[in-house]
Amino acid sequence: MARAARSRTPHPGIPQTPLLRLLPIWLGGVHTLPRTVRRDYRSRRTPPTATLIEPPHPRVRSLGLIAVTVLGAWLGLLLIGSFHAPVGPMDTTMALRPSLTGGTRIDVAPLGDLELSSHYGPVRLDVDVDRLDPVRSQALVDHPERFSGLQAEVTRDVTRGAVGLALHSCVAVASGATALGLAVYRRPRRALAAGGLALALLAACAGTAYATWNPRSVLEPKFSGLLSSAPSVAGNARNIVSEFNVYQKELARLVTNVTKLYDATSTLPTYQPDPTTIRVLHVSDIHLNPGSWQIIASLVKQYRINVIIDTGDTMDHGSVAENHFLDPVSTLGAPYVWVRGNHDSRSTQKYLTGRKHVTVLDNGKVTRIAGVRIAGVGDPQFTPDRSVVAAGEPAERTAGGRLADALRTQRLAGTPVDIALAHNPTAATEADGLAPLALAGHLHHREITTLPQGTRLMVEGSTGGGGLRAVQNKKPAPVQASVLYLDRTTKRLQAWDEITLGGLGLSRAEVSRHLPRENQPGATPSPSGSPHPPGPSSGPSSGPSSGPSSSPRSHPVRGSSDSPG
């Protein structure tokens, strides 16, 4: 009571006015208002607020962690996931790669690859055959009895490689996911959670692959590139098992030849093409062989070809119905230069003229592609047309004369031609002395000749293996093409590779390196203002096994295996 009385006592230093006397009564009245009025009064007051960041939903956090884990695991596999493992006489690189369909891909560069539907799942097994080890191959050649245990050895090597790849992949996915998690979240616990989740996902992928493993997939491989002929080369897996003794002998011979190939590289001419070298692929006489397009596309990719030159006889009858056979020329990966052959009609030429990435040359027309000036003339005779009597070599020489006139005109104008084209070698010889290099076809076998005035005439074999004629002869014709290496500054021929593939039912692949005589070590270079200096002509070649070099000192590199399929 005293405290209450003391609180109502006016402060001695403050004058008491009527307003101050009423103030305590008003304030006390608020507490005496009804509860509903006070609630409404308080609801109208705005309480102080604080700005807070609402934490993300747990589901969003989980999805973010999964995304970081998957991306980090993929980067880890891509950067450090490869594992090197020897398998028999081969050195291989194994790796796991993300995939929607799974399976196994075996790459045998530069021949192509094969795919196996070995399993289904989000990862694919990639195996790259890096090289054939010459030491281990030689050991097999020296001790043929080891072939009987080769299968068990390969099985052990593959098993060892698979275990090593599994452990390596675990480290790769865990490291990648942990590193990315640390970069994104900057918290060790989150980063370790990403690494653990990556290992769990890899284990789940392995379980899926194991559950869907299909060992019979080796019976139905899918081949691409030059290996597309493998089914006719080696036969199917059942034949190999039923005739394993024969297969074993052929495998021994194949390894022997490949070993010789490695031995021959020690005497390979010193010329080494560099990235600035102009690479020209010379093909001819495809004769409606659809397999030629795939072979050409593979060679373009493997040799990084700058321009393809086709010296004619792409067709067989020159009919309008055959024109759609030419559609792939626009998708081969390099510009396509073409001259008409005696099996190509004017309709064929007209159809090709409108194709993308294709240049048709005739009547001495000149084009410049990849820095190389090329002129060509079409064959004046259309052989399938029996209503017209063939004019023979005089007509070919007349066509070659038109080509020679165009070459002289270009030389007088200060723009000399680097390569002259004709289908028939008779027409191409008219370019002698007017261009350093002349290309032709028509003969279905290789011939390389240095003409009297110094022009090198290179006649290509049949890139189509003779077309339908391949099944008419007792011995199938080989598939032939050549890669020409030209100096980027002078546009002169520095070297060439002769590529030969076995015909129907044969397994043979040869690559022969040749150097022109003037490029041999110690030779005097040819004057820049004239074609290659005259020299003894190279003898004709009926195939790469007797293919000529321009000098006795050039050493072709060969490796082959002939085996009936």
Side-chain angles (χ1 to χ4, degrees):
M1 294 298 292
R3 182 176 180 181
R6 194 164 47 248
S7 64
R8 294 188 179 94
T9 303
H11 196 278
I14 300 177
Q16 298 294 316
T17 62
L19 182 60
L20 291 176
R21 293 192 188 99
L22 294 175
L23 183 59
I25 299 175
W26 290 345
L27 294 176
V30 173
H31 296 282
T32 61
L33 291 176
R35 180 175 298 176
T36 56
V37 177
R38 281 185 290 164
R39 187 180 301 113
D40 181 69
Y41 167 76
R42 289 169 180 167
S43 66
R44 294 176 183 275
R45 297 177 61 193
T46 304
T49 58
T51 303
L52 299 177
I53 299 177
E54 188 172 335
H57 194 275
R59 184 175 300 174
V60 176
R61 290 200 303 268
S62 300
L63 292 177
L65 180 62
I66 293 174
V68 169
T69 300
V70 172
L71 180 59
W74 179 77
L75 291 176
L77 287 176
L78 193 63
L79 296 177
I80 60 174
S82 299
F83 181 75
H84 299 280
V87 177
M90 299 175 295
D91 289 335
T92 67
T93 300
M94 301 181 179
L96 296 179
R97 294 289 181 258
S99 172
L100 296 177
T101 58
T104 300
R105 185 188 64 83
I106 302 174
D107 182 26
V108 187
L111 300 179
D113 56 51
L114 59 91
E115 297 180 5
L116 306 176
S117 298
S118 57
H119 66 277
Y120 296 97
V123 291
R124 183 187 71 221
L125 173 61
D126 285 0
V127 180
D128 295 336
V129 178
D130 299 326
R131 70 182 187 117
L132 189 68
D133 186 84
V135 176
R136 299 200 299 272
S137 300
Q138 188 64 48
L140 285 174
V141 173
D142 294 339
H143 304 280
E145 67 277 3
R146 294 187 181 180
F147 277 99
S148 59
L150 183 60
Q151 183 178 3
E153 179 185 352
V154 170
T155 302
R156 288 194 302 270
D157 291 342
V158 170
T159 303
R160 191 181 301 113
V163 172
L165 176 63
L167 297 176
H168 203 78
S169 299
C170 289
V171 174
V173 299
S175 301
T178 302
L180 187 61
L182 192 61
V184 172
Y185 296 111
R186 300 184 183 279
R187 291 196 292 181
R189 292 184 60 183
R190 284 273 185 174
L192 293 176
L197 182 58
L199 290 175
L201 292 176
L202 183 62
C205 293
T208 303
Y210 180 79
T212 59
W213 179 252
N214 178 24
R216 297 179 60 84
S217 61
V218 296
L219 300 178
E220 298 178 352
K222 178 182 177 182
F223 298 90
S224 62
L226 298 183
L227 287 178
S228 57
S229 62
S232 63
V233 167
N236 58 39
R238 292 185 180 89
N239 292 340
I240 292 176
V241 172
S242 62
E243 302 177 7
F244 187 75
N245 290 334
V246 177
Y247 174 72
Q248 197 167 273
K249 294 178 182 177
E250 294 302 323
L251 181 61
R253 184 161 60 163
L254 177 62
V255 173
T256 301
N257 286 328
V258 173
T259 302
K260 292 179 180 178
L261 173 66
Y262 275 92
D263 292 339
T265 57
S266 60
T267 58
L268 187 68
T270 56
Y271 173 76
Q272 293 293 334
D274 58 57
T276 65
T277 301
I278 300 173
R279 292 166 167 84
V280 178
L281 177 62
H282 184 199
V283 301
S284 190
D285 296 270
I286 292 175
H287 284 290
L288 287 180
N289 185 345
S292 299
W293 299 129
Q294 193 171 20
I295 292 172
I296 293 173
S298 181
L299 292 174
V300 167
K301 180 180 179 181
Q302 298 298 334
Y303 283 86
R304 302 191 300 277
I305 297 298
N306 300 108
V307 58
I308 306 167
I309 292 179
D310 186 344
T311 47
D313 270 8
T314 314
M315 312 297 265
D316 213 11
H317 304 286
S319 64
V320 176
E322 296 172 342
N323 283 344
H324 287 291
F325 170 77
L326 302 168
D327 291 346
V329 298
S330 301
T331 62
L332 296 176
Y336 199 88
V337 180
W338 182 85
V339 293
R340 187 179 65 251
N342 62 297
H343 281 264
D344 304 316
S345 65
R346 298 282 178 174
S347 172
T348 303
Q349 179 166 314
K350 182 178 179 181
Y351 187 82
L352 263 179
T353 302
R355 304 300 302 174
K356 190 176 181 182
H357 305 309
V358 177
T359 301
V360 174
L361 300 182
D362 196 6
N363 297 316
K365 179 183 175 182
V366 181
T367 186
R368 181 184 175 91
I369 297 179
V372 181
R373 294 182 60 80
I374 308 170
V377 63
D379 198 292
Q381 307 181 85
F382 180 48
T383 306
D385 187 1
R386 303 300 181 184
S387 64
V388 178
V389 178
E393 286 200 2
E396 299 293 345
R397 295 194 182 279
T398 300
R402 292 197 300 271
L403 175 60
D405 291 341
L407 297 178
R408 292 189 188 95
T409 300
Q410 293 294 323
R411 173 174 289 186
L412 292 174
T415 55
V417 170
D418 302 306
I419 303 177
L421 308 181
H423 174 68
N424 196 306
T426 301
T429 55
E430 298 297 315
D432 187 18
L434 300 173
L437 183 62
L439 304 181
H442 186 63
L443 302 182
H444 290 204
H445 65 263
R446 289 192 180 103
E447 286 189 5
I448 302 175
T449 308
T450 302
L451 300 176
Q453 299 300 319
T455 295
R456 187 185 305 279
L457 174 60
M458 304 184 74
V459 180
E460 188 54 75
S462 174
T463 309
L468 296 177
R469 296 165 182 80
V471 299
Q472 297 174 354
N473 303 325
K474 293 182 179 180
K475 184 177 181 180
V479 173
Q480 297 180 328
S482 296
V483 177
L484 315 179
Y485 301 98
L486 306 183
D487 183 86
R488 183 167 292 275
T489 303
T490 64
K491 310 303 186 296
R492 298 304 175 90
L493 183 67
Q494 303 297 304
W496 71 92
D497 290 340
E498 294 179 351
I499 300 166
T500 302
L501 304 176
L504 297 174
L506 296 177
S507 62
R508 184 179 70 225
E510 293 184 357
V511 179
S512 303
R513 166 67 53 80
H514 302 270
L515 296 183
R517 183 183 300 277
E518 59 271 18
N519 283 357
Q520 291 294 328
T524 303
S526 61
S528 59
S530 63
H532 296 299
S537 300
S538 300
S541 167
S542 60
S545 58
S546 59
S549 299
S550 292
S551 166
R553 289 187 293 172
S554 66
H555 302 276
V557 178
R558 298 185 178 95
S560 66
S561 173
D562 294 339
S563 61

